[in-house]
Structures are given as structure tokens and as C-alpha cells.
Amino acid sequence: MEKEDIKVLNKGDEEEMELQGYRLCRWRLALVGLGVLCTGGFLLLLLYWMPEWCVKSTCTRTTARDAEVVLLRSTDEFRRWFLAKVRVMLAPGSNPFHSLETQTTSPSSPSSPSCPLSPDSTSLANGHTPHASDSSPAEELIRRFADYQPTQIRYFTFHSTKYYWNDEVQNFEVLNGLEDLQVSCSTLHSEHSAGLTRNQQEYRKLFFGVNEIAVKVPSVFKLLIKEVLNPFYIFQLFSVILWSADEYYYYAVAIVFMSVISIATSLYTIKKQYVMLHDMVAAHSIVRVSVCRANNDIEEILSTDLVPGDVIVIPSNGTIMPCDAVLVSGTCIVNESMLTGESVPVTKTNLPNPVPGERGEEADGAYSTEEHKRHTLFCGTHVIQTRFYTGELVKAVVVRTGFGTAKGQLVRSILYPKPTDFKLYRDAYLFLLCLVAVAGIGFVYSIVLSIMNKVPAKTIIIESLDIITITVPPALPAAMTAGIVYAQRRLKHIGIFCISPQRINICGQINLVCFDKTGTLTEDGLDLWGVQRVENGSFHLSEENAYKENLVKTQFVACMATCHSLTKIEGQLSGDPLDLKMFEATGWILEEATEEETALHNRIMPTVVRPPKQLLPPEPAVSPEQDMELYELSSAYEIGIVRQFPFSSALQRMSVVARLLGEKRMDAYMKGAPEVVASLCKKETVPDNFAEVLESYTKQGFRVIALAHRRLESKVSWHKAQNISRDHIEKNMEFLGLIIMQNKLKTETPGVLQDLHRANIRTVMVTGDNMLTAISVARDCGMIPPQDTVIIADALPPHDGQSAKIIWRYADKPSKTSRLEEINISLEDVCHVDEPKRQELYHFAMNGKSFAVIAEHFTDMLQKLVLHGTVFARMAPDQKTQLIEALQGVDYFVGMCGDGANDCGALKRAHGGISLSELEASVASPFTSRTPNISCVPSLIREGRAALITSFCVFKFMALYSIIQYISVTLLYSILSNLGDFQFLFIDIAIILLIVFTMSLNPAWKELVSRRPPSGLISGPLLFSVLTQILICLGFQTITFLWVRQQPWYTVWTPLSDVCNHSSHINMSDLNDTELDDHNIKNFENTSLFYVSCFQYLIVAIVFSKGKPFRQPSYKNWPFVLSAVGLYAFLLFIMFHPIESIDKFLEIVCVPFEWRLKLSLIILVNAAVSVVVETFIIDIVLWKLVFSRDKQGSFVDTPAAPTPQGGIDLRAYKCLSWVCCPRKMTPKARYMHLAQELSVDPDWPPKPTTTTEAKPCPENGSAYQIMINS
């Protein structure tokens, strides 16, 4: 089947996949079975590792519709393969939203194709069939509707999601829930709020399954099989069998022991993570819920039986939501910290029910959880309390269940994470392949040598395969993870929790950090700085507060007191911190109706606010004949809040409908972003100097909120107010004035940002706040230095036939004395000898709307803008994620720091997302910091760098260890000798394991330096370092091997050799040595090489164990120092003071004292050469002059701080870099390449008077042109 039959699933989604259909082929299966038998099961393993080979070797291609097996391939950069089995289900209908009753009256013919899942073919019946179902649901339903043929429905399950075949679109699709119907808000109220019959519920359950997020904890056996079938452990198994065949039992047992420990640790960790996730999900997943049935009955069922379309009753004392549901009556106060990390309770109101015919389609759009999240209760969130009127129940319609819910998606993202694509891991595999290639050479060499020496065939096979097992070190995986585990422990110690340990290494590469503003850079709470009222279309002078007698009855204060979403929880006012500050500034009192009152009165006001008595003017004395109660009623000044339209970040405003006690007409109050509020007010009520006044505040960094008011028409009754649409209320308002809030910077912010700048790490602000406020905060905290220019990009979407355009404005002209700075395009980044271009530094700022227009119409411009974009204001949560992707698109390693509230997507998408949340581990982000400020960011990067350098050290050491051992064995093979079993054991256990696990313990360096560690193993300095050490070790081992044979006392060793004059011992060891030494292990070459190689392991460990500038020096790592010193002492001791029992155990022979002195000389010279090459040549000369391009300094907007070692002669620097690096070399990272291009572009940055227009069809590759305004 050709290319055309590749279907695309989840198009445009993060989980987009290509699908191909296959059906099983018997003869292929038989052939594969035969192959498995012939290869002793190895073919089966290969097919297990390669799903695409498995499917292609056992199946033939067919259409997706007829497939028995589907082969899936992800379309992301990893291009991973998966396979899934297609199953067939029999159901009485083909669409979960069909009404079974209507189908029985018009039976479908068996030949008719299964009806597509489309919104048009739905007819919801809410009729009730009074049969309780007892047997299995599918059989029961088919038996009940037996007058027509049951439909065959094909589906497959992948990553906990079911994909059903849809005939209409000829593809597999996911059933999400009620949203598939694209129901409008009014339809949700009219057709879906009555509930389902039992039959309908059972029928839908066939499709949507049980409503639970089932995190199955795999059995230890399953996990064990999965872990053991890892290619590495299979290789170890092969090694163990081989060693056992060669009678290296002790070493085989040691490796088995190590593998068992490694597998056990791994199993324990994985099992623990599964159990933790299972407990977190299962804690409240099954509860009893009350469901409204179609005949107005209320029935109690288990939450697992819920299906989309069910109507549930939210209990007044609250509950944990078992599904996603939309409120159709009443209001709820919800704690959504499980999803957002924000513990501020949120008020959810019922979904508006627009009256048909009013304002056309606009008001009555299709319901979507994203758009109507203020009316949607999400699974896993905690409903604290509910509000309702007159015995009316608080009802919600179930929208999504199981893994389709918000919580389900979160759990899926944890269960099936995207692999972390990091150069280190890819390079590690390449490196192993190189080692395998080296092993291949040794393999051929040993076979040729053995054949020439007429060695028996069995020995040839064993010894040549042995070379391969020596070259690929078995302890490598355990060694690599040690550094990460230690880093995780250190992070936990400083209050940073990590749920994705592999990301610690990636954090070492971060060169750009995005910060949320409110609560991250600035304090969470806002303080009221002052108010500025408007009367008769002009501003009053600003006043410090609104707590005054003369203001108590003004609309301005009434708006401050009523326009909020505060509520009382256990007698405490709680809600949005901004609302709280605003309400507290009025000094008013908020009272909520109790449940008893709500039940007594028909139209009780749910919430009442009133000023304190002392603020009200004194009343005249009461005459005795006046009715006391009537008097109290008339003198009371109270405002009841009738209806709330909650704050929406998309609309940037909130409003309420309220009524003053005793007034006939109601009032509408609104607060929100000043630009938005002013646009909804009558022109004559907005002061002429509104823009200037607003700008003067925002430039100073104040957060400004505008208030507005309108008297509603007398026809708006209480009941009508409950159903009126938002657009009717929020128009023709009167502008009341501004509230000026101060958002103070956290004390740590400027210092941390300065540290990051010094380390050449770019900082970017992404906020939902006003643009000018954000720019001001960016200047205050040092993100934008005072002398730099800020260019605001205002993008306008295409309209009235005009193409999209960007208008460039300069925020505030830099002062005349502004210094000229160099852009930091240094030789470290770009291999250029030309003089850097001197120019003024600039930063781009834009808002969310402009960002959306630029992303859509100016795609190639976006990359240039993010290169210098520092402030992104009024950004919606999904736009934050898009920005992170855009930055990653130009090869930045992006960190993101937010408070977790609306940054979940961005925190997850960034290379290192860190959430400032008090929860121990916010599921939203890989890292969570207990310290509520950004000081955790440099700490995380420092630890990341230390962990990365540790990984490099360990990898280099392990590579050298296997190569040193390989050299020893290869040299000994030439005289048909080998290392002894206990020699291998001593090297592997006593030296290697001890050193590897202690060399990883170096803590991170105290401060961030401007240099970054290389991102991969295949980088100049690292390869050079490894290769030079290999050559040094090879050289000194070869010298030892050849020199020992030149010694005057040298003979071929036999048990009778007595070069040490120990004639007394000979007779004792005579007998057993001759039978023991089949492998010719005891000889002078073996002993000499054993001593030299043991010291080489230690020399290499010390040389590779780098400290500054990323880790603390090794002498501060006392376990490592103790291990190294202890091993040195032991080796020198057994070398100069042989102890017979140890010599016998290690199978080493006695050599003359002068040869031991010569050996120690060889070892000393080897150590000196290794240290000189690694420390002086690589670290000083090559790192600084040739390889410094790996230190990708970002083109940051501050001049790079001079480094302490910056005093190298510039001419030498230029000459050497010119020799070692071709002139035309393009930088590695795309952002450097762009910066290089832009530095010579005369039109960049755009001038303040220009407009850039999008071209409808780009001819010359550029999709825009710059025009100068007249």
C-alpha cells in the first residue's frame, strides 16, 4: 500500500502521529518463528527492541480500515515507532451520542456503513426506559435492542487513549466527550441539563469506558522483564556466560552481583514512582456522586460509572471532582492547586444561557473547556463550597471522563513523557559505538594472533569475544546515573524538588531564562498606592486611599466594594490577592447569606457589602412613634451582588450586577485593564488626558486598574440578571477612575538577574501585565539597563483588505549621553577576526496580540525579534508556551521560572522549568522550589553544570578504564597471556567502582561563571582530552612491556624462576602453581603491566576529576581523596613490600627491587605527562584559544564581564583562532548565526518611524517589507 495510505492522527497536536495499517501474515509468522529458534531467541529480542521490524516482518500492508495491527510513528524530532493491536467491539449503535430509542424505531440495515461520529447525526433523547441492567452492559443493550444488527466498531488503545475508526473521515479519532458535539452554551442548557437514562449511560460507557484515571502499578515481574531486556543487560548476560566458559567465575559473579544491585535499585525507583503517582491519582478517584436521571429522579452511583452527558449534583459541603464538568446552575468556590500550583480559591459561575435570537451567534458560541474555564470544574480540583438559590441544586454536566480530563492529560504526560533529547545521551551512544569499533580491531587481532600460534579453537573463540566484553564497561549505566542522583540530593537539600532527574544535566546548558513577573520577580501581593477619580470627564488629583466619609456613597467606592470575586471561607475573606487589597482599602464589610436564609427567602442576595458604621454620616434622632425596624431598613446602606461575570484573562476585565438596598434599578460595575475599560465607556466620560495619565503611572511601574459603572434599565429584573449575557452589561459605561497598585520587586530579584547577566545568560520577562508596567519593572530590576533603547512592536492583523503590519515605536528615547556599547558577539561565539560592530543596544517589547499576529503573518521576523525580545506583556498561557518554542527554535537552551499558576505549559516545555510553589512537587513542572524567589535559578543552573561536568568526567574515566584494560589485555595476548581473574576483580571492584562513585561527589562551584560547559561528548576539547590520555597510557604500557623484556635478569617465568632470591618459597608453591596456571597468567610482563595499569586508572581519575569553574575542587571531595590516597598507598605497599598471600591472590610474581624502582619512575613520568597535557595544554591553551566557540555566549545586551583570565595577548588570540578556525566558519547555534547576519544588516533594528507590512505572497523569500512613513 502506497504512501497515500499513511493516515495522520491528532493532526497539529503535540501527539501527532503517522499511522499505517497491517494484517497478520501466517507464512511470515512461521518464518520469523523459525528464525527465533535458529538464533536462540536473539531475533525475538531484536524484534522486541524494534517495533517497526516486528510489524514489517510478520504482517503485510493493508488499508487502515481493515488493519489488524497499526504501526504508529511520532512526527516529532524523535520519530519513535509504536505498535498497537486493533480490536473489534459490538455495540447497538456506532456513535455514543446516538439515541437508542430512535434507532429501534428505524432499524439500520446490516449492510449500511457504520454511522460517522459527526455532530449532525446526533439526536439526544432524554426519554426514560425503566429497565435496570444486571448482566454485562454490551449484551444487555444488544438484547434489549435486538431488532437490528449490532454494529462492529474498530478501535485500538495507545498511551491510555482509545482511537475509534470513523467512516466519514476515514481515519481513527479520539472520543473526547461532550465537546465532540460542538454544543452551543444554550443547547447545553436546553438539551443536556436534564440527565441521561440508565440505558443511555450504559451505552455511552461502552465507548468512553470506566471513568477513572487508572495508573496500573506493574508487577515486579513485568518491570523486571522490561528492565532485563534492556540491550545493555543482554550484553552483560552474554559477558557473564562467556566468562563462565573461560572459568572467570569470580569476576562473572561480581558482575552479576553489580547488575542485580543496579536492576534492583532501578526497579525500586520505578516502582516507587508508579506507586506515588497511583496514590496521588487514586486518593480521590472513586467517590459516590448524585446523578440526575432523565425523569427528575436523583440516584447515587459510583463516580466510575459517569459518562459525558451525565448531570451530577455538587454537594454543598464540597467534594473532589471525579471528572471535568460544566456548571449549569449555582456557583462553586474551587481550589485548583492540583492543576495550577496556585492555592488561591477561584469562583466558578454557571455557564451563561444566552436567549436565542439575542445578538446572533456571537453570544452563543460552541462550548469549549479552554474558553469557558471559568464555568468548568476540572477533575482532581477541590470544590470547597457551593452557592445556590431557593433549594435549587448546584448541577454540572459531565464533559469529559477518565484520561480525557485535565487531570488525566496531566497524568498521561507523566506516564508517557517525551524523551529528553540531549546531545550528551546521543553522543554517549556514538562513543560506545567507537569503543565497539576499537573492540572489533582487537577481536580480529586476537583471532589472527591465536591462529598463527596454533591455539585451540575453543580458546580462540573465548579470548577474542572476551576482548569485546572488556571494551564496553559493564558498570557504565550505574556510573552515569550516580552524578545525577547526587545532584538531585544536593538540590533537595537547598529546597528544590525534581520529578525528572535527567533534566538536571540539561539545566547545565541553559543560556536564557524566561521569568513570569507577578509573584516571581515582584511580590505576590499588590499594595494600594492611591486612587484617581474621574468626575464630569476629568481627573481629580490622586488621593491616597478611598477610606473617607465623603467618598463612602460614591459609585467609585461602590465599584471597589462590589466588583470582585471574594468569598468567605470559614469566616476568612479569601480570593484573588488584588481583589483582597482593593476591598480592604474601602474598609467595607462583606456578608454572605447562610444556607438557612437562602432556603427561607426566594430571591435572597447571595452576598452583601456595606460600609462600617463610623464612615456613614450620623442619622437624625428617632421619634418614638417611628417603627424601629422600618427606620433601620431605611437608614441601612447595603449593596447586594446579584450576578458575577468572573475575571477573564482573554477579556482582561470582570464585572458584577449589584443593587443598592431599597433601589428599584440595578447597577453594573466593571474593573479591568485601563485600555479595555476605557474602550467600553462612553467617550465623553473618559478624560482627554487619559492616555498620558495612564502612561505616567505605568512608566513608573505601577499596576493600574480602571473602574466603570452603569445604571441598568428598570426592566432588568433579578431573574433576567441571572441569564443576561455579558455583552449586554459591559457597554456604554461611565468611566469612574483609576486604582493605582504598587507591585514591589522582591529584594533578591536585581541581584539574581545581575548574576545571570554576568554569566552571559539572557533574561526575558513574560507576563500577563500591562506592557509599560512590564518595561518599567524590567528597567527597575536591571533586565534592561538604563541606557538601552526599548523598541515596541505593535502588530495589527489584516483587515479591510489591508495586509498585516507592524508599527515600530521607541518606548522612551534614551538620553543624549547614552554610552555606545559593544554587542557581545565575541570570538568566543563567532569565529571572526573583524572588529565587532559598535552600536547602541536595543530590546524589543510586544504584547500578546502583537505576538500572535507576528507568529502568524511574519514567521521569519519572529526569530529576529526573539533574539532581542526582552519584554512580552499581556501574554496568554498558551502564548507563553509558543514563545518558549520560538526561543528553542533558534537553539537557545531555555529555562522558565514562574509561580505555576498560568505557566504550566511553558514550565513543561522549557528545558528546565522551575515552579515557585509551596507544594513539594508541582506536577506541572520538572523542578519545584520551596524558596519563593528566583534565587533558586542560579542554584539550579550551577548544580546542572556540576552534574553535566560530572557526567563528562565519569564517561571519560569509564572510556579510559576500558581502553587501558584493553591495551593491557592486547599486549598480553601477544605472548599468549592474560590478566588473572582476581586482577580483573581488583581493578573493577576495588579501583573502578570506588573511584567512580566518589568522583561524582564534588559539589557545584560557588558562583555562575560566564563560560558554559560543552553540550556533548563529541566536542573538540573532550575528544582531544580522551585521545591524548589514551595515547599517553598506550605509550607507557608499551614502554613497560618492551622494557621488562630487555632487563638482564629477564627470562620466561616458571614456578622455579627466582629473580628475587626467595629460594626458600619455591618448593611450597611448586605443585599447585603448575596446575593452576593454564592461562599463563603468572609472568613478568603481566605483573609489570598490572602495576602500571593500576596506577594509570588512578592518574586518569585524578586528571579528569575537574573542579573549577563548574565544580568545587577535588581536594574538597574527601571520600574521593580518601579512596585515591588509600589505593595509592595500598598499591605502593604491595609493590615495594610484597606479601606472599596478596601476591598469590592477585597472581603476581616477584620482580627485582631495581625493576620496581624503574616501574615507579615510569608511573611518575606518566602522571606528570598526563597532568601537564590535561591541565596546561587542554585547559589553558586549547580551551581558551581554539575551543572557545563551544562556549556559546548569548548575544546578551550587556557587555560581557571581563574574566579573571582575560589577559591573554589579543594578537596571539587572533592568530591562533585564525589558524585553528576557518574564517568563514558559521556559528553552531542558530541564534548566533542570526545575530551575525543582523549585525551587518543596515535596516536592523527598525527605525522609529517605520512600518513593516506583510506581503501576501513572498517573492524574494522575505515575507515582509519595511516602509518609511511620511
Side-chain angles (χ1 to χ4, degrees), residues 204-404:
R204 284 188 190 182
K205 203 166 149 189
L206 292 179
F207 291 88
F208 292 107
V210 177
N211 170 36
E212 66 174 334
I213 301 166
V215 178
K216 291 191 176 71
V217 179
S219 64
V220 174
F221 180 71
K222 255 190 186 171
L223 282 175
L224 181 69
I225 295 297
K226 208 173 171 184
E227 189 68 21
V228 168
L229 294 184
N230 178 322
F232 206 86
Y233 289 123
I234 297 295
F235 176 73
Q236 283 191 335
L237 180 69
F238 159 74
S239 307
V240 166
I241 292 167
L242 187 74
W243 293 325
S244 304
D246 201 14
E247 296 170 11
Y248 282 180
Y249 298 120
Y250 296 105
Y251 187 42
V253 167
I255 286 297
V256 168
F257 179 67
M258 256 167 59
S259 299
V260 166
I261 288 178
S262 169
I263 290 171
T265 321
S266 179
L267 285 188
Y268 173 74
T269 319
I270 296 171
K271 180 95 175 171
K272 190 175 160 196
Q273 281 175 343
Y274 268 114
V275 170
M276 257 175 67
L277 190 61
H278 176 268
D279 292 351
M280 183 190 91
V281 173
H284 308 285
S285 65
I286 302 176
V287 289
R288 294 199 74 81
V289 286
S290 301
V291 176
C292 299
R293 288 281 171 234
N295 57 355
N296 292 332
D297 280 356
I298 288 182
E299 184 183 328
E300 203 173 84
I301 61 167
L302 279 177
S303 60
T304 45
D305 292 331
L306 289 173
V307 293
D310 266 328
V311 175
I312 55 173
V313 178
I314 313 288
S316 56
N317 57 349
T319 179
I320 302 265
M321 287 301 293
C323 58
D324 286 358
V326 57
L327 267 177
V328 285
S329 66
T331 46
C332 293
I333 291 140
V334 186
N335 182 343
E336 293 191 327
S337 60
M338 205 295 297
L339 289 180
T340 62
E342 179 84 53
S343 54
V344 172
V346 190
T347 305
K348 302 277 184 169
T349 56
N350 56 334
L351 188 75
N353 183 8
V355 183
E358 281 191 19
R359 285 293 301 272
E361 290 302 302
E362 277 175 77
D364 196 12
Y367 166 78
S368 91
T369 41
E370 192 47 50
E371 213 174 306
H372 297 97
K373 63 156 85 125
R374 280 292 182 176
H375 314 295
T376 308
L377 303 168
F378 292 103
C379 179
T381 58
H382 183 190
V383 178
I384 302 167
Q385 63 185 53
T386 62
R387 299 264 177 72
F388 51 89
Y389 315 113
T390 337
E392 214 184 291
L393 296 169
V394 179
K395 293 182 189 172
V397 177
V398 177
V399 184
R400 294 184 299 196
T401 56
F403 276 102

Side-chain angles (χ1 to χ4, degrees), residues 163 176 342 434 443 511 586 821 850 860 864 896 1058 1180 1197 1213:
Y163 292 82
N176 288 315
E342 179 84 53
C434 296
F443 179 72
N511 55 357
T586 62
E821 297 281 5
S850 298
D860 46 350
K864 295 179 183 181
M896 168 79 198
D1058 186 18
I1180 293 176
D1197 304 321
Y1213 188 72

Side-chain angles (χ1 to χ4, degrees), residues 378-626:
F378 292 103
C379 179
T381 58
H382 183 190
V383 178
I384 302 167
Q385 63 185 53
T386 62
R387 299 264 177 72
F388 51 89
Y389 315 113
T390 337
E392 214 184 291
L393 296 169
V394 179
K395 293 182 189 172
V397 177
V398 177
V399 184
R400 294 184 299 196
T401 56
F403 276 102
T405 60
K407 183 180 178 182
Q409 298 292 359
L410 231 163
V411 172
R412 277 186 67 223
S413 69
I414 298 169
L415 276 177
Y416 313 107
K418 260 190 167 182
T420 34
D421 176 39
F422 191 40
K423 230 167 151 252
L424 173 70
Y425 304 120
R426 279 177 305 177
D427 289 356
Y429 286 114
L430 273 173
F431 217 87
L432 280 176
L433 283 176
C434 296
L435 290 180
V436 170
V438 171
I441 298 166
F443 179 72
V444 174
Y445 161 80
S446 66
I447 288 179
V448 172
L449 203 78
S450 303
I451 291 171
M452 283 164 65
N453 288 302
K454 300 189 173 55
V455 175
K458 182 192 171 198
T459 314
I460 295 180
I461 294 167
I462 288 175
E463 294 204 335
S464 51
L465 288 174
D466 203 17
I467 282 269
I468 296 175
T469 64
I470 285 168
T471 325
V472 182
L476 188 65
M480 289 291 279
T481 48
I484 296 175
V485 170
Y486 295 147
Q488 197 175 356
R489 242 180 32 203
R490 286 196 298 270
L491 282 173
K492 195 169 183 179
H493 189 67
I494 55 173
I496 299 173
F497 297 93
C498 169
I499 60 167
S500 172
Q502 297 298 352
R503 295 235 187 174
I504 298 176
N505 270 342
I506 303 178
C507 287
Q509 280 298 309
I510 286 174
N511 55 357
L512 182 147
V513 186
C514 294
F515 292 98
D516 179 38
K517 183 178 78 73
T518 315
T520 305
L521 296 172
T522 59
E523 294 290 354
D524 227 341
L526 291 151
D527 296 323
L528 187 81
W529 180 85
V531 296
Q532 192 149 10
R533 293 183 301 125
V534 167
E535 263 178 29
N536 306 325
S538 61
F539 279 113
H540 280 248
L541 288 171
S542 62
E543 295 157 278
E544 218 171 288
N545 62 26
Y547 188 77
K548 293 178 181 168
E549 277 186 34
N550 61 331
L551 295 184
V552 73
K553 291 194 175 181
T554 58
Q555 295 292 6
F556 188 87
V557 171
C559 186
M560 283 177 75
T562 56
C563 198
H564 52 70
S565 55
L566 299 177
T567 182
K568 275 197 168 165
I569 295 173
E570 291 167 5
Q572 283 289 311
L573 263 187
S574 87
D576 184 286
L578 186 146
D579 286 353
L580 214 54
K581 273 281 186 294
M582 186 180 78
F583 183 73
E584 282 168 0
T586 62
W588 285 39
I589 297 149
L590 180 132
E591 285 177 355
E592 288 183 341
T594 59
E595 278 183 42
E596 294 77 49
E597 285 178 300
T598 319
L600 280 172
H601 304 277
N602 210 16
R603 290 189 190 168
I604 186 96
M605 301 294 184
T607 306
V608 172
V609 290
R610 55 185 172 77
K613 287 248 170 40
Q614 59 267 33
L615 276 186
L616 289 168
E619 296 292 336
V622 195
S623 58
E625 59 268 19
Q626 268 183 311

Side-chain angles (χ1 to χ4, degrees), residues 954-973:
V954 168
F955 206 95
K956 282 158 67 177
F957 176 66
M958 292 304 276
L960 252 281
Y961 140 64
S962 58
I963 294 288
I964 292 171
Q965 202 169 70
Y966 169 77
I967 293 167
S968 308
V969 170
T970 312
L971 287 169
L972 290 173
Y973 270 14

Side-chain angles (χ1 to χ4, degrees), residues 598-850:
T598 319
L600 280 172
H601 304 277
N602 210 16
R603 290 189 190 168
I604 186 96
M605 301 294 184
T607 306
V608 172
V609 290
R610 55 185 172 77
K613 287 248 170 40
Q614 59 267 33
L615 276 186
L616 289 168
E619 296 292 336
V622 195
S623 58
E625 59 268 19
Q626 268 183 311
D627 188 330
M628 197 68 193
E629 267 190 40
L630 258 173
Y631 162 71
E632 275 185 8
L633 201 65
S634 64
S635 67
Y637 185 80
E638 285 185 355
I639 303 176
I641 302 167
V642 178
R643 172 93 193 269
Q644 257 183 28
F645 295 101
F647 176 77
S648 146
S649 46
L651 299 173
Q652 296 178 0
R653 61 180 184 267
M654 81 161 286
S655 52
V656 292
V657 176
R659 182 162 64 184
L660 182 63
L661 192 70
E663 282 281 330
K664 287 274 185 291
R665 286 164 71 177
M666 298 198 185
D667 295 277
Y669 295 105
M670 173 167 73
K671 77 165 198 290
E675 309 91 334
V676 177
V677 172
S679 70
L680 296 168
C681 288
K682 297 177 192 156
K683 288 279 179 287
E684 63 272 17
T685 64
V686 181
D688 300 333
N689 60 341
F690 165 75
E692 294 87 83
V693 171
L694 175 62
E695 195 167 329
S696 71
Y697 284 126
T698 51
K699 271 186 186 169
Q700 293 171 63
F702 290 119
R703 172 103 178 252
V704 184
I705 291 152
L707 306 182
H709 158 258
R710 173 163 83 92
R711 290 300 294 276
L712 294 179
E713 305 79 15
S714 50
K715 64 176 185 185
V716 178
S717 63
W718 184 90
H719 192 74
K720 196 165 183 190
Q722 295 309 315
N723 296 314
I724 198 163
S725 82
R726 197 166 183 156
D727 303 345
H728 275 75
I729 299 291
E730 297 173 342
K731 63 179 184 189
N732 298 330
M733 309 284 272
E734 281 174 33
F735 194 77
L736 293 177
L738 304 172
I739 296 179
I740 299 103
M741 312 287 272
Q742 195 175 19
N743 196 192
K744 292 184 188 133
L745 274 181
K746 287 186 179 171
T747 44
E748 304 81 3
T749 301
V752 170
L753 293 180
Q754 203 178 350
D755 288 350
L756 293 174
H757 280 190
R758 227 178 277 133
N760 269 359
I761 294 169
R762 237 185 89 185
T763 50
V764 170
M765 185 192 294
V766 197
T767 174
D769 207 342
N770 169 291
M771 164 97 74
L772 292 168
T773 307
I775 293 173
S776 158
V777 170
R779 283 202 184 282
D780 290 349
C781 66
M783 207 177 262
I784 302 176
Q787 68 277 4
D788 292 0
T789 315
V790 176
I791 306 170
I792 296 176
D794 264 339
L796 305 170
H799 81 128
D800 298 341
Q802 290 185 328
S803 52
K805 57 183 176 187
I806 307 173
I807 299 159
W808 306 97
R809 291 189 293 124
Y810 278 44
D812 36 8
K813 307 285 181 295
S815 58
K816 293 274 190 298
T817 56
S818 82
R819 292 181 294 139
L820 287 176
E821 297 281 5
E822 265 186 24
I823 272 205
N824 186 20
I825 307 176
S826 57
L827 276 160
E828 302 153 358
D829 312 319
V830 184
C831 207
H832 254 236
V833 192
D834 313 331
E835 282 304 304
K837 174 181 168 187
R838 295 179 74 79
Q839 75 168 82
E840 215 167 65
L841 287 172
Y842 56 91
H843 304 253
F844 288 112
M846 67 190 79
N847 61 24
K849 284 179 186 161
S850 298

